[in-house]
Amino acid sequence: MILESKNILIRFVEESDADFILSLRLDERYNTFLSAVSPDVKAQRNWIKKYKDDEEKGKQYYFIIERLDGTPCGTVRVYDIRKDSFCWGSWILNEKKTRYAALESAFLVYEFGFKRLGFKKSHFDVMKGNKGVIRFHTRMGAIKFSEDEVNDYFEITEEAVLKAKENLADKI
């Protein structure tokens, strides 16, 4: 499954992506706000094998973000699928990303969740120290509905995303 925008695409993760995913997750420039992983490529491949079963059952979806020239530049995951909402995270973009890869990948995730899965809203959490991502989501129209010591919890509607996309049409 591939969703494409002006400069990037997202596609489902494959076992062959294990080295790339691990390189992102172990890189200190990108992993500050992510859960720790084993540095073992075999363990990453095994995780992907298990994940593919979840993908088939519609429990979660893990994507590689690529530039249109085929260069991988990130990951993003849709998970915690509820009756009326989906969560997304594990969002990493490296130095090979395009200028608007963050916007484009977010809109592709929302397209997947709203159009492909049929939801009208999304929920997600962001670690409190991750100020740039919090600003990104609030500018997109996300509303903070809760918090704890570690995370801020947000929700965004399909309507808010469509409005943000309209306002940013000149960039993507």
Side-chain angles (χ1 to χ4, degrees), residues 14-43:
E14 300 296 336
E15 283 183 58
S16 59
D17 296 312
D19 287 312
F20 173 69
I21 293 168
L22 202 54
S23 74
L24 290 176
R25 301 221 26 137
L26 295 175
D27 191 315
E28 292 180 7
R29 294 174 292 175
Y30 312 124
N31 69 9
T32 304
F33 301 105
L34 300 172
S35 56
V37 296
S38 165
D40 180 13
V41 174
K42 186 175 180 181

Side-chain angles (χ1 to χ4, degrees), residues 105-120:
S105 59
F107 285 131
L108 289 174
V109 166
Y110 288 130
E111 178 182 334
F112 180 77
F114 297 143
K115 302 292 183 217
R116 302 284 174 118
L117 299 180
F119 292 104
K120 297 294 179 201

Side-chain angles (χ1 to χ4, degrees):
M1 208 279 311
I2 296 173
L3 292 175
E4 191 173 312
S5 62
K6 185 177 178 182
N7 299 294
I8 64 160
L9 61 83
I10 62 173
R11 62 165 176 80
F12 287 146
V13 163
E14 300 296 336
E15 283 183 58
S16 59
D17 296 312
D19 287 312
F20 173 69
I21 293 168
L22 202 54
S23 74
L24 290 176
R25 301 221 26 137
L26 295 175
D27 191 315
E28 292 180 7
R29 294 174 292 175
Y30 312 124
N31 69 9
T32 304
F33 301 105
L34 300 172
S35 56
V37 296
S38 165
D40 180 13
V41 174
K42 186 175 180 181
Q44 184 67 51
R45 280 195 195 97
N46 287 337
W47 188 93
I48 293 170
K49 277 183 193 177
K50 286 181 177 178
Y51 148 76
K52 291 305 260 185
D53 187 51
D54 283 353
E55 177 187 288
E56 192 174 304
K57 292 176 181 173
K59 291 182 177 181
Q60 67 172 317
Y61 304 93
Y62 198 16
F63 298 93
I64 294 294
I65 303 166
E66 289 183 356
R67 297 184 335 203
L68 294 183
D69 68 6
T71 303
C73 60
T75 63
V76 67
R77 191 166 60 101
V78 171
Y79 60 101
D80 190 24
I81 295 171
R82 301 178 182 172
K83 190 166 122 178
D84 65 342
S85 183
F86 68 95
C87 183
W88 67 285
S90 304
W91 190 29
I92 310 169
L93 289 162
N94 70 13
E95 74 282 350
K96 295 180 181 177
K97 68 186 179 296
T98 61
R99 182 174 183 185
Y100 296 112
L103 279 173
E104 289 184 68
S105 59
F107 285 131
L108 289 174
V109 166
Y110 288 130
E111 178 182 334
F112 180 77
F114 297 143
K115 302 292 183 217
R116 302 284 174 118
L117 299 180
F119 292 104
K120 297 294 179 201
K121 65 182 176 178
S122 175
H123 63 280
F124 48 90
D125 55 273
V126 182
M127 291 179 83
K128 288 183 179 276
N130 202 347
K131 302 287 188 202
V133 172
I134 290 170
R135 273 192 310 276
F136 177 89
H137 287 304
T138 54
R139 287 180 185 155
M140 289 280 287
I143 304 296
K144 180 175 150 182
F145 68 87
S146 183
E147 67 180 281
D148 59 27
E149 290 180 13
V150 178
N151 296 309
D152 287 334
Y153 297 89
F154 294 90
E155 191 172 86
I156 193 166
T157 63
E158 181 179 23
E159 182 179 311
V161 170
L162 291 173
K163 184 177 179 181
K165 193 170 186 177
E166 184 179 301
N167 291 339
L168 296 165
D170 62 322
K171 298 206 185 316
I172 55 166

